[in-house]
Every structure is written in C-alpha cells, then in structure tokens.
Amino acid sequence: MTADKEKRRAISREAARRRRRVESDVFGDLSRLLPLQPSVRTHLDKPSVIRLALSYIRMHTVLKGNTGTKAEASHTVKYGQATKSGEEWLECDGGCDEKEKETEDLDASEETDLYLRILEGFLMVLSTEGDILFLSDNVSKYMGLTQIELMGHNIFEFTHPCDHEEIRNNLRLTAGEVWCGAKRDFVMRIKSALTHRGRSANLKSATWKVLHCQGRAKVCVAPSSVSCLLLTCQPLPLSHTLLSTQTFTSQHSMDMRFTYCDQRVTPLLGYSPEELLGRSIYNLCHILDTNCLTKNHLNLCYKSQSVSGQYRMLVRGGGYVWVESHSAVIPSARPSRSRPGAHQPLCILSVTYVLSEVEEPSLQLSLDQTVNRYLS
C-alpha cells in the first residue's frame, strides 16, 4: 500500500514538473514576441509578461483603424527604441526589401526621438477604463518609473485621489464625440519616484508631480476596436520657460489680484506695473475667455501648478493680444517685517507669454482699457 502511494506521488510530482516546464516554455515564447530588448525580456516575471502582452494586443487593436502606412503603424506600436524580435506582429508587404525596411525603421526612430525632445514630455495612450496602453520610453526621465513598470496598469493607481473624478470626466465619451475626435486638456497629479537630484527612489516614498495633459479622444465604433485617449504629458513647471522680450512675470494674491509685475508688461500691454497693482487679472481678460482663466485658477488652488491655455488679454487703449500663462503657487517672497516668524501667505507666480500682435486695436471692451481709468 505504501509503495502504491509513493508511486502515485512520484507520478504527480513528475506531472507537476511537466506542467511547469510547458508553462515556462509558453511564457518564454510569449515574452520573445514582445517588442522589447533581450536584456529587458530576461528580467520579466510571468504577471509582467501577461500584462505587457495584453497591453500590446490592445494597442495593436487601436492601430488597426490607423489610416497611415504600415511602416508608420509598425514604428508607432514599438515601445520606444526597443527592437522587434520573434514573429512580426505587423507584417511588411511581400516585396519589401530588408535593408530598406531597416533604414525606414532607423529614420522613424530618430524622428520620434526628435519629437520627444522638442515636446519636453512623454506620450501616453489611455483606454476609456483608464488602463495605460502605451507610454513612450522617455517617461522614466520625468517620472523615475520605467515604461515596463507602468504599462498595463490603471492610471488611477498612480494619480492623486482628488483628481480621479476629473480624469473620469475626460475618459468619458459623449454621444457627440463618437463622430469626431474630441480635444482633451487637463492637469493631473501623478506619482513620481524622482528625487530633487534626479535620482530614482522607491515608489513608497514617491512625491506628486503635476502633468499638463493634452490630446484627443480616438473613438472606435467597431466591436473589435478600442476607444482611447491619445495624450501628450508635460511636467510642470516646464523647463522651456525662458524669459524673452515676449514674456513678463507677475505675482498675484490667491484671488488673482496683481501684487507685482515686471517692467516688460508696458511695451506688450501698455500698462505700467503700478497701474496693475491691486487689480484682478479677470478685469484684463476677454469676457469670452473667463472660463479658461477660472479653470486655471481652480487648478492652481487644488494642484499648485497649472497652464492656462490660450486666452485673450486686453491691451490699454483698445484691442487684445493672445497669451498663455504658466503659474505656480509659492510662499510669499516678501516676509513681514513686523512678524518675521509668522507663516507667510501663499501667492501665485506667473510667467505670461504674449503669442500675437494686438488685434482689433480700435475696440475697447472694458473700462480698464481706457486711459482716464488710470489718471483718476
């Protein structure tokens, strides 16, 4: 009886080993089909292989509706600069020459790298459920987390809980958006493992980084297709905020009243810095762009950083110019002399870019544009 039990146990152990071998072979074959570098594939565990494979399949489904060439689609679906190995998921035409294909892929890779450097951010594709289908490989430069660590996970796992409702609203597609790619423009806070010195830290000690996300919704009606958001994500403050003759800096109280403005505002808008002190920026905004400023103001109050988007600012004497403001909430730079130890109030620091010449110079839309307003 004991011999029979030992025999059955030995058979069971051998069957289990055989199943594990088959399973390992299947996962090995699947990982080799992923468009990743061999050094990355060898360190993937089984859950990561499944997660990345599902993400890749869904991304492939998104690209099925792409009207571009096969070479463009083949390059877009690649994870950054990773090279493909194993079977080709997107097959080239039968007459395609191997050397020409390699040259096309190299040129496309260099072009993509150039776009990402100019963008000063990274690309992200989100499903309507919030799953991260794709990230460009330069995400680690801004977030300290690699492309492999993030893809296939849900965006809500890494974003601030207070921003979840806004993200859901942007992921939600209305009936009118089914027939046209609707624009998306919002700000969200996401976990960043980068330290102040630019080194990667543990995710448990991650801080919040503010991202400005812009893009469009890609809506697919076919049942086999995937609807998603195609976004460019730029961390704030943006590194290209270099001051030039077409920019001016200003400081505001939390209700957006000017407390300081530099001299460059005068040749751009006609106001002197002294004339602006105590006035609200809403008084200098075109009435049709009030919602744009209100959204920017709310983002500043809740998330401490924001980009306004393009809006019109009124010029002294008449007309308006198109501008964009990059703002952040900081402690006041002017300490109180009477109470040096007291907590300093918050203020808003803005860098405003003037994007156009004066339009409609003979049109006055507010009393704040009149010269007499400032002479009284």
Side-chain angles (χ1 to χ4, degrees), residues 1-14:
M1 192 70 181
T2 305
D4 291 339
K5 282 185 178 180
E6 289 297 329
K7 186 177 180 180
R8 284 196 296 269
R9 288 175 181 172
I11 294 174
S12 177
R13 285 194 295 268
E14 181 58 32

Side-chain angles (χ1 to χ4, degrees), residues 65-327:
N66 198 339
T67 56
T69 63
K70 289 184 179 180
E72 290 171 345
S74 176
H75 173 71
T76 304
V77 81
K78 287 183 178 181
Y79 296 105
Q81 299 176 344
T83 56
K84 288 201 287 186
S85 64
E87 296 181 8
E88 291 289 336
W89 287 73
L90 297 173
E91 295 181 337
C92 185
D93 291 337
C96 181
D97 184 76
E98 190 67 28
K99 290 184 179 179
E100 290 181 1
K101 188 177 72 172
E102 290 179 1
T103 304
E104 278 185 13
D105 287 347
L106 183 60
D107 292 342
S109 178
E110 292 176 352
E111 186 178 359
T112 301
D113 292 341
L114 175 62
Y115 289 155
L116 291 175
R117 285 198 299 272
I118 296 173
L119 174 65
E120 294 193 348
F122 58 91
L123 303 178
M124 179 165 58
V125 180
L126 291 177
S127 72
T128 50
E129 295 82 23
D131 296 326
I132 303 174
L133 303 184
F134 174 78
L135 282 166
S136 55
D137 67 336
N138 66 332
V139 65
S140 58
K141 174 182 175 182
Y142 302 98
M143 308 307 300
L145 301 170
T146 66
Q147 182 187 56
I148 305 302
E149 291 175 312
L150 294 172
M151 281 184 55
H153 286 291
N154 196 282
I155 190 68
F156 296 110
E157 298 175 27
F158 298 93
T159 50
H160 197 287
C162 295
D163 297 342
H164 287 181
E165 187 60 32
E166 183 178 2
I167 296 172
R168 288 192 186 95
N169 291 336
N170 281 281
L171 292 174
R172 194 176 296 122
L173 301 175
T174 63
E177 294 172 341
V178 172
W179 307 108
C180 62
K183 290 184 178 180
R184 293 291 187 267
D185 190 338
F186 60 98
V187 174
M188 67 178 181
R189 287 164 288 185
I190 193 167
K191 289 180 180 178
S192 171
L194 281 182
T195 64
H196 294 296
R197 296 183 177 181
R199 298 176 181 175
S200 296
N202 194 304
L203 190 58
K204 293 181 180 179
S205 58
T207 56
W208 296 112
K209 178 165 284 191
V210 184
L211 295 181
H212 181 212
C213 302
Q214 293 176 292
R216 288 186 176 272
K218 177 180 172 62
V219 183
C220 301
V221 182
S224 61
S225 300
V226 179
S227 297
C228 60
L229 294 188
L230 311 176
L231 301 172
T232 60
C233 302
Q234 295 176 310
L236 301 179
L238 302 178
S239 60
H240 67 262
T241 53
L242 301 176
L243 303 184
S244 67
T245 56
Q246 292 302 113
T247 65
F248 64 91
T249 59
S250 58
Q251 188 173 306
H252 307 261
S253 58
M254 291 305 293
D255 60 356
M256 294 304 292
R257 293 184 181 276
F258 282 90
T259 58
Y260 165 80
C261 192
D262 69 28
Q263 298 290 337
R264 277 175 291 201
V265 71
T266 304
L268 295 173
L269 300 181
Y271 310 101
S272 69
E274 293 76 19
E275 291 172 340
L276 294 177
L277 296 182
R279 299 188 182 274
S280 173
I281 195 172
Y282 288 100
N283 294 337
L284 301 179
C285 171
H286 195 291
I287 189 65
L288 297 179
D289 298 330
T290 305
N291 288 338
C292 177
L293 268 188
T294 303
K295 179 181 176 182
N296 182 57
H297 194 181
L298 289 174
N299 279 333
L300 283 169
C301 292
Y302 289 122
K303 304 169 188 177
S304 76
Q305 292 173 292
S306 186
V307 174
S308 65
Q310 289 78 36
Y311 66 97
R312 286 161 286 191
M313 186 171 278
L314 305 182
V315 177
R316 184 180 182 184
Y320 56 83
V321 292
W322 286 93
V323 301
E324 181 175 274
S325 298
H326 299 181
S327 308

Side-chain angles (χ1 to χ4, degrees), residues 334-361:
R334 299 178 180 177
S336 172
R337 293 182 179 179
S338 59
R339 298 166 61 190
H343 176 70
Q344 298 302 317
L346 297 176
C347 67
I348 295 171
L349 183 64
S350 294
V351 178
T352 301
Y353 295 80
V354 179
L355 306 175
S356 72
E357 299 295 332
V358 180
E359 299 184 14
E360 303 288 347

